[in-house]
Amino acid sequence: MQDNNILSDLGPLYHAYDWLGIKNQQLPGIFEKNQKAKQAIIASYILHAMAKCRATIDTPVSFAELFCADAYYATLARHFGVNASTGFDNDREGHFENAEKIAHRLGLDHCRFIKSDVNDIDETEQFDIVANVGGLYHVSNPEQVLEKSYRMAKRFLIVQTVVSLANNDRRYFEAPAPGWDWGSRYNPQSFSRMVNSKGWNVVDMHFNELEGNDALENRGSIYYLISKDPPRGMIKLNTLFQQVLALR
């Protein structure tokens, strides 16, 4: 029987691991509410993509998480049953150093963790499923990083990023992010407009609020599940806008 306190000596972590049967201390403040807002959507996208990648039960599926911090979604994907999982992070905020320890203590093999800047991901191999979650707003060139993420994915790309609720300008983009000297910001309408301009096969999109964040510029969260299979019919930009606005 697994000890549900096996992460206690690592101190407060970026994520709570209760979905994997572990009781750990999480960092205070925004982290708990924001994880609860995001994880069900992202996890459902991982499961959908994993299922669609398998022609048979034994078809191997690989997964990569970008901007992984403590690699929660990389470990969750391996727990769900992907055959190999990889986390990428530059460890700028110091969470990445725990990723390998966490995976080992959870008994998850075939996990690896690569300290790398996201702008260098075009130098690595492809993965069946790529999750670019929680990091696009950290960079000044999110569109270019998103395109690299798409090329890195063989079958599916999962996207989540923070968006501003302070305005509805469909052409809005700001770098650095408002109030910061780094990062960038879209709003739901402008991010959807940018993604739709790529002509990618959007399987699903979602919008909700990050209830841990008070500032409108940091409160929105938008999600995409993108397939590299031929589209059965493109989702029109106006339809995406209507979906986003209806959720606000």
Side-chain angles (χ1 to χ4, degrees), residues 128-132 146 149-150 153 155-159 200 224-228:
D128 294 306
I129 306 166
V130 172
N132 184 328
L146 188 63
S149 305
Y150 183 81
R155 296 288 307 278
F156 286 91
L157 173 63
I158 298 167
V159 180
W200 295 340
Y224 276 85
L225 175 60
I226 298 166
S227 172
K228 299 190 81 170

Side-chain angles (χ1 to χ4, degrees), residues 1-242:
M1 183 175 180
Q2 191 176 53
D3 179 3
N4 66 359
N5 293 312
I6 56 175
L7 304 180
S8 59
D9 64 303
L10 299 180
L13 298 175
Y14 194 101
H15 288 95
Y17 284 78
D18 54 309
W19 276 24
L20 289 88
I22 302 300
K23 182 68 175 177
N24 67 281
Q25 185 180 2
Q26 190 171 18
L27 288 166
I30 67 173
F31 295 91
E32 179 182 4
K33 286 185 176 180
N34 288 353
Q35 180 179 346
K36 287 181 177 179
K38 293 186 288 186
Q39 69 178 349
I41 301 299
I42 296 172
S44 69
Y45 285 178
I46 293 171
L47 286 167
H48 177 99
M50 186 177 72
K52 290 290 188 178
C53 284
R54 285 203 162 117
T56 70
I57 295 173
D58 295 326
T59 302
V61 179
S62 58
F63 177 90
E65 180 188 2
L66 308 179
F67 303 103
C68 73
D70 60 1
Y72 175 71
Y73 291 106
T75 57
L76 191 63
R78 179 68 181 118
H79 174 76
F80 284 161
V82 300
N83 298 80
S85 194
T86 303
F88 293 85
D89 197 275
N90 62 11
D91 201 25
R92 184 179 69 179
E93 298 180 353
H95 304 296
F96 186 65
E97 64 180 1
N98 286 318
E100 189 167 358
K101 297 175 186 176
I102 292 169
H104 177 73
R105 294 185 190 186
L106 291 173
L108 298 172
D109 58 2
H110 301 292
C111 293
R112 60 178 175 149
F113 305 98
I114 299 173
K115 186 176 180 180
S116 174
D117 188 271
V118 72
N119 284 294
D120 298 329
I121 60 173
D122 47 6
E123 299 174 8
T124 191
E125 73 266 34
Q126 285 187 304
F127 300 84
D128 294 306
I129 306 166
V130 172
N132 184 328
V133 292
L136 279 179
Y137 67 98
H138 284 268
V139 299
S140 60
N141 59 333
E143 184 172 0
Q144 289 75 25
V145 171
L146 188 63
E147 289 172 344
K148 289 184 178 186
S149 305
Y150 183 81
R151 291 194 294 269
M152 187 180 182
K154 291 181 184 177
R155 296 288 307 278
F156 286 91
L157 173 63
I158 298 167
V159 180
Q160 181 275 328
T161 192
V162 170
V163 288
S164 172
L165 302 185
N167 70 79
N168 296 318
D169 182 354
R170 63 192 296 268
R171 296 185 179 275
Y172 171 71
F173 175 74
E174 189 171 355
W180 299 357
D181 59 3
W182 55 280
S184 60
R185 198 69 84 246
Y186 288 95
N187 62 28
Q189 294 84 353
S190 61
F191 189 81
S192 293
R193 180 176 182 271
M194 183 271 289
V195 171
N196 205 69
S197 73
K198 306 300 177 187
W200 295 340
N201 180 9
V202 176
V203 175
D204 190 67
M205 64 86 62
H206 187 68
F207 169 86
N208 63 15
E209 294 191 19
L210 299 174
E211 297 180 33
N213 296 344
D214 293 327
L216 288 176
E217 291 82 0
N218 305 327
R219 193 166 173 89
S221 184
I222 198 163
Y223 310 78
Y224 276 85
L225 175 60
I226 298 166
S227 172
K228 299 190 81 170
D229 292 339
R232 294 181 180 179
M234 294 302 297
I235 298 177
K236 293 183 178 180
L237 179 63
N238 287 339
T239 302
L240 289 175
F241 287 162
Q242 291 166 5

